[in-house]
Amino acid sequence: MTTATRWTLPLLAISLSALLLAAPARAIVTAGTPTSLHSDTDGDAEADRQAVSREIERFRSSSISISQAMAIAEARHAGASTADVSFDGGSGVPVYRVKTLHNDRIWRHTINARTGELVGGEAALPLAELDLEDRDNLAALGAIRHRLVDAVRVAERAASGKAISGGLVRERGRLNFSIVVVSGDDLKEVTLEPPGARAK
């Protein structure tokens, strides 16, 4: 990730009350290149566009969806839930990097995006070693009834595409799911506020 300025353009706000009752309350869809997908080229817009295009092409050629990658990682530990997932097509074999929460630990998994196999082992980090904001966000994840996989499903419908990454973000004191969706040749960032996510 880089600290490059987000150059997303507001596209539309969608009320999702007509969707599944279990779906997060509302979605805001923006178009452009989300910050998490900018390359480390110090603001070279053309290089950023090329890097994003390469990443999207590698993503499209993958057999495993982001939802499948989350399910594979969660199955490693009964009761685990995904806190963050992202596609990485930048080196060798394209993979999903999945972080799950289970038994006061964050587990890191690398899932082959073509075969669904676990690459390497898995690494665990005790929650106590995270900073206070990350611990608060993960505690809130455990307190809400919606999961990242639910947010991915809603975001894919709202943006008419396939999710390439997702996770928790706290903006202005509110905990949201932030999902990046490949829609046609564009990237759309969908922000969903789960019911029951309270400001801290």
Side-chain angles (χ1 to χ4, degrees):
M1 274 191 243
T2 155
T3 57
T5 305
R6 180 181 295 184
W7 51 288
T8 58
L9 304 171
L11 181 62
L12 63 130
I14 300 173
S15 172
L16 296 174
S17 58
L19 288 179
L20 303 171
L21 292 175
R26 61 191 166 118
I28 299 172
V29 182
T30 55
T33 303
T35 303
S36 61
L37 292 179
H38 280 284
S39 66
D40 294 324
T41 57
D42 297 326
D44 183 345
E46 182 57 30
D48 281 349
R49 277 192 291 278
Q50 290 175 2
V52 169
S53 291
R54 282 191 302 274
E55 192 81 354
I56 289 172
E57 286 309 311
R58 296 205 73 193
F59 173 72
R60 284 189 175 135
S61 70
S62 298
S63 304
I64 303 297
S65 72
I66 203 167
S67 296
Q68 290 170 313
M70 287 189 287
I72 291 164
E74 289 175 1
R76 304 282 302 166
H77 304 278
S81 63
T82 301
D84 187 80
V85 61
S86 60
F87 177 81
D88 180 357
S91 62
V93 175
V95 296
Y96 288 101
R97 303 203 184 276
V98 186
K99 294 178 186 170
T100 60
L101 175 63
H102 183 257
N103 285 347
D104 294 328
R105 293 185 180 280
I106 288 290
W107 295 86
R108 295 180 181 159
H109 313 275
T110 303
I111 309 294
N112 184 313
R114 292 184 180 145
T115 66
E117 295 173 341
L118 188 66
V119 177
E122 56 187 3
L125 178 68
L127 291 181
E129 293 184 22
L130 300 175
D131 66 31
L132 182 60
E133 182 179 350
D134 287 340
R135 285 195 312 266
D136 285 347
N137 289 349
L138 292 169
L141 176 65
I144 57 177
R145 67 176 186 217
H146 296 90
R147 299 177 44 174
L148 185 56
V149 70
D150 300 320
V152 163
R153 189 171 31 254
V154 172
E156 289 178 336
R157 287 182 185 170
S160 302
K162 292 291 181 188
I164 192 169
S165 70
L168 293 170
V169 295
R170 189 172 292 275
E171 293 177 354
R172 289 171 276 193
R174 290 200 165 282
L175 186 67
N176 296 313
F177 289 115
S178 178
I179 313 297
V180 177
V181 177
V182 175
S183 179
D185 291 332
D186 297 323
L187 292 174
K188 296 180 181 178
E189 187 168 15
V190 181
T191 303
L192 299 118
E193 180 185 336
R198 298 277 182 246
K200 284 211 169 212

